Amino acid sequence: MLKIGIICYPSVGGSGIIATELGKMLAKQGHEIHFITSSIPFRLNSFNPNIYFHEVELNHYPVFQYPPYDLALATKVAEVIDTEKLDIIHAHYAVPHAICAILAKQMAKQPVKIVTTLHGTDITVLGIDLSLKKMIQFGIEQSDAVTAVSDSLVKQTKEMLGINCPIHVIYNFVNEEEYLAHNKEELKRNFGIQQDEKVLIHISNFRKVKRLEDVIHTFAKVYKETPARLMLIGDGPEYGRIHDLVRELQLDKVVHFLGKQKNIPSLLAIADIKLLLSEKESFGLVLLEAMACGVPCIGSNVGGIPEVIDDGVTGYIEELGDIDAFATRTLELMTDTKKWHAFSVKAKERVFQHFSSDKIKKQYEDLYAGVLGENNEN
């Protein structure tokens, strides 16, 4: 069994969720997992004797305008490598985590291999910044193995950064244990939703790239045709603007801003349709979560979304910004009960056949064994 250090963001975002859930699965398999981050990861909510947490503490020095988190992280990672005799450091994001892992590897006495997973923002946002381009290239090229969460992200990384080293596609996954059957009608009653009202749902960090205005305008068209509610889960810089748009369209009684929520499976269980109409999306973990609950999805034809939604089978994919098409497809599913049920069944099947946690865990274990030069039985 391996000793694996995981560097990730501890927050609610998709990369942190995947990193934490992967660590929990590997720990159940018997591997020793060491999370190295600024606070206990959001999803690390149960005890396992194979899981350890190492907090990165910041010191404030007058010479620095801001506390140097990257240097503190690299120092902590090097310390854990040596004291715990780690075999692998798995860095989620090229910048800053892979860079910190590389620096830590150089400082540590214990030999260690570095696996870096690209989740998207490190390429689609940071990769555009010319001042960071060389650093991202360095982080990728100096890693012993690199993975990305979609074919689309691999292609984008190679095109933007001129990367020639292999990048393995290992998709995101869901923890099946969290997506058990819920009593949909009872949950709806708890929210005061009438039996004849359909529920649309959107989950994101409320950034411009998520195009929440398209979600609102799509819902407005749907609401004109049939009783419906829209549940918006999350928070971020677009919150105020979108709140104003909802009031301007006089939808404030049927659009609910629920803020950040922890119990996503229960909220998804209420939904009839999931909307993800982003202009950039390397994978779309929220789509997988919705499909695991049997919720058909409507998505834009960008990034990794077409790799998650099976168009015409588990949901629909339409061109970016096509509000009429989004609304038409949503109404089609909401008004055709037989088709909705067929899509719902296929959505669950797709998640558990193509994105199962056991399948993804095995792919990572094989990758670790490969960089260590071991066979799969170790």
Side-chain angles (χ1 to χ4, degrees):
M1 291 301 169
L2 302 177
K3 293 187 175 186
I4 304 165
I6 294 180
I7 313 174
C8 65
Y9 289 117
S11 55
V12 183
S15 69
I17 290 171
I18 290 298
T20 308
E21 293 294 345
L22 175 61
K24 286 159 65 176
M25 286 195 306
L26 292 168
K28 282 185 180 179
Q29 194 73 12
H31 300 291
E32 190 175 295
I33 305 301
H34 295 262
F35 286 98
I36 312 166
T37 185
S38 57
S39 60
I40 295 176
F42 169 72
R43 286 287 186 100
L44 200 59
N45 48 17
S46 59
F47 174 75
N48 185 304
N50 290 331
I51 293 179
Y52 302 83
F53 168 63
H54 307 270
E55 185 175 6
V56 180
E57 296 181 1
L58 291 179
N59 293 315
H60 296 260
Y61 300 109
V63 70
F64 294 117
Q65 184 177 0
Y66 303 106
Y69 176 73
D70 298 351
L71 299 180
L73 175 59
T75 302
K76 189 67 177 182
V77 172
E79 176 187 304
V80 177
I81 290 171
D82 282 339
T83 57
E84 303 296 338
K85 308 300 181 191
L86 299 185
D87 300 298
I88 298 275
I89 289 291
H90 192 159
H92 291 263
Y93 277 123
V95 173
H97 296 150
I99 298 298
C100 293
I102 292 163
L103 180 56
K105 180 178 180 177
Q106 292 174 336
M107 289 191 287
K109 294 180 174 61
Q110 166 79 9
V112 72
K113 298 294 186 179
I114 297 172
V115 172
T116 295
T117 293
L118 307 175
H119 287 272
T121 305
D122 39 0
I123 305 304
T124 60
V125 177
L126 300 182
I128 297 170
D129 189 336
L130 293 178
S131 68
L132 294 174
K133 187 174 180 179
K134 281 192 176 297
M135 188 180 295
I136 297 170
Q137 287 174 322
F138 180 79
I140 292 172
E141 291 172 347
Q142 293 300 309
S143 297
D144 295 289
V146 180
T147 76
V149 297
S150 66
D151 284 310
S152 170
L153 184 56
V154 171
K155 183 180 178 183
Q156 197 169 12
T157 301
K158 293 191 171 185
E159 287 177 352
M160 290 180 65
L161 300 175
I163 299 293
N164 294 317
C165 65
I167 302 177
H168 308 271
V169 176
I170 300 183
Y171 286 123
N172 288 335
F173 62 92
V174 292
N175 180 349
E176 293 90 343
E177 294 176 3
E178 295 185 2
Y179 296 88
L180 304 173
H182 295 82
N183 188 325
K184 186 171 185 173
E185 297 308 318
E186 183 180 335
L187 288 166
K188 277 190 171 185
R189 285 196 298 272
N190 290 341
F191 275 89
I193 298 169
Q194 301 302 311
Q195 193 169 357
D196 65 334
E197 290 180 310
K198 299 297 184 181
V199 177
L200 282 68
I201 194 166
H202 172 85
I203 306 169
S204 76
N205 53 17
F206 283 41
R207 291 183 295 128
K208 277 186 176 294
V209 72
K210 301 298 182 180
R211 294 180 72 106
L212 273 94
E213 68 275 13
D214 287 4
V215 173
I216 301 303
H217 287 301
T218 297
F219 174 75
K221 285 182 175 292
V222 169
Y223 184 63
K224 282 182 181 178
E225 303 295 328
T226 188
R229 302 279 189 107
L230 173 62
M231 300 173 71
L232 298 174
I233 300 171
D235 199 357
E238 289 288 283
Y239 172 82
R241 189 173 72 86
I242 296 304
H243 204 280
D244 289 344
L245 176 61
V246 167
R247 281 188 295 183
E248 180 186 321
L249 296 174
Q250 298 182 335
L251 296 171
D252 42 302
K253 293 191 184 305
V254 287
V255 175
H256 308 282
F257 290 84
L258 301 184
K260 292 181 179 179
Q261 295 285 335
K262 287 187 176 183
N263 197 359
I264 297 301
S266 291
L267 292 168
L268 284 168
I270 302 172
D272 296 287
I273 302 289
K274 168 78 179 74
L275 299 178
L276 189 66
L277 313 181
S278 313
E279 63 186 55
K280 290 180 182 178
E281 202 71 58
S282 297
F283 182 84
L285 180 60
V286 290
L287 296 173
L288 218 55
E289 292 178 316
M291 288 162 57
C293 290
V295 179
C297 299
I298 310 292
S300 49
N301 189 20
V302 301
I305 290 178
E307 296 176 53
V308 183
I309 299 173
D310 189 354
D311 187 33
V313 178
T314 68
Y316 288 113
I317 297 169
E318 298 295 342
E319 293 307 309
L320 178 66
D322 193 341
I323 307 297
D324 288 337
F326 294 143
T328 298
R329 291 303 198 184
T330 301
L331 283 165
E332 181 182 323
L333 285 172
M334 287 169 58
T335 56
D336 187 335
T337 303
K338 186 176 179 181
K339 179 176 280 191
W340 185 93
H341 277 294
F343 275 49
S344 175
V345 169
K346 289 295 184 182
K348 285 184 179 180
E349 286 180 2
R350 181 163 175 78
V351 172
F352 299 121
Q353 288 175 6
H354 297 279
F355 305 97
S356 75
S357 58
D358 282 342
K359 180 179 180 178
I360 304 304
K361 179 191 66 183
K362 178 67 164 54
Q363 290 176 344
Y364 277 116
E365 285 184 306
D366 289 347
L367 186 72
Y368 297 153
V371 298
L372 290 169
E374 300 172 352
N375 62 46
N376 290 341
E377 293 177 356
N378 270 356

